[in-house]
Amino acid sequence: MPQIPYLNDEAAGPADLVAAIRERRGGELLNLDRILLHSPPLARGWGALLGAVRGEFELPALTRELAICTVASLTGADYELHHHEALFLQAGGSQAQFDALAADAAAAAEATKLFDAGQRALMAFTVASTRHVIIDEATFAALREHWPQPRQQVEIVALIAAYNMAARVLVASGITPE
């Protein structure tokens, strides 16, 4: 059960914001939306930020989903894992990779048979960022080997930060998958 009650359709508002969220979601409000809409400014800003992170960054879809699923696993954000499994698979990840991430992302970051060197560097970076915030030079250097452009590096840092924010809201609020 959520720690904060979900808003029902009648209580969710303002109407223009709810309509925009429904359009983005294919007509439905998710449980996350039903919590965020308790604060319309938060719901509006959330949509803008996460929309840019997921829809405007130049990172490949698999890179994005691998980082998101790693954050979700590390933080216990089952809601995030539930919603991103299909996206991870659609982006080219395998079921074995997803299962390893969901079971233990930190251990999966070292799984040379499941993940290539670039993926392991991204996962190690995500583990360090999520658990410690400060990234040591060796971990950042490994990331730079595979994502040498500053824009890529900034987008990876921001992606991980944004989904750590999402995970913390999901877990602290007790939001459950639909």
Side-chain angles (χ1 to χ4, degrees), residues 3 17 24 35 42 49 62 68 79 84 123 130 151 157:
Q3 297 294 326
L17 177 57
R24 189 174 75 244
I35 295 292
L42 175 61
L49 174 63
L62 184 55
I68 291 168
Y79 183 96
H84 283 271
M123 293 164 66
T130 300
R151 178 174 177 159
V157 168

Side-chain angles (χ1 to χ4, degrees), residues 44-69:
R44 187 172 285 110
W46 188 282
L49 174 63
L50 277 291
V53 167
R54 290 198 47 224
E56 298 177 36
F57 281 10
E58 291 182 357
L59 298 171
L62 184 55
T63 299
R64 181 182 66 238
E65 294 304 323
L66 179 59
I68 291 168
C69 291

Side-chain angles (χ1 to χ4, degrees), residues 11-159:
D16 64 324
L17 177 57
V18 172
I21 293 169
R22 283 185 185 282
E23 182 177 335
R24 189 174 75 244
R25 301 273 196 216
E28 298 293 325
L29 291 178
L30 300 179
N31 288 343
L32 172 62
D33 303 318
R34 295 178 184 284
I35 295 292
L36 295 177
L37 282 164
H38 280 287
S39 172
L42 175 61
R44 187 172 285 110
W46 188 282
L49 174 63
L50 277 291
V53 167
R54 290 198 47 224
E56 298 177 36
F57 281 10
E58 291 182 357
L59 298 171
L62 184 55
T63 299
R64 181 182 66 238
E65 294 304 323
L66 179 59
I68 291 168
C69 291
T70 302
V71 168
S73 175
L74 292 168
T75 59
D78 294 336
Y79 183 96
E80 208 161 61
L81 277 173
H82 171 80
H83 282 280
H84 283 271
E85 178 177 9
L87 297 170
F88 178 81
L89 297 172
Q90 288 168 6
S94 72
Q95 189 66 54
Q97 288 174 319
F98 181 82
D99 293 344
L101 280 170
D104 185 344
E110 299 176 12
T112 59
K113 292 181 180 175
L114 285 176
F115 299 97
D116 66 30
Q119 291 169 327
R120 289 191 314 274
L122 175 66
M123 293 164 66
F125 188 92
T126 305
V127 169
S129 181
T130 300
R131 288 191 172 162
H132 309 293
V133 183
I134 297 169
I135 311 296
D136 64 66
E137 183 52 39
T139 302
F140 217 120
L143 184 82
R144 280 190 208 101
E145 281 184 44
H146 302 280
W147 291 275
Q149 301 301 314
R151 178 174 177 159
Q152 296 168 322
Q153 297 160 18
V154 167
E155 289 183 355
I156 287 169
V157 168
L159 168 71

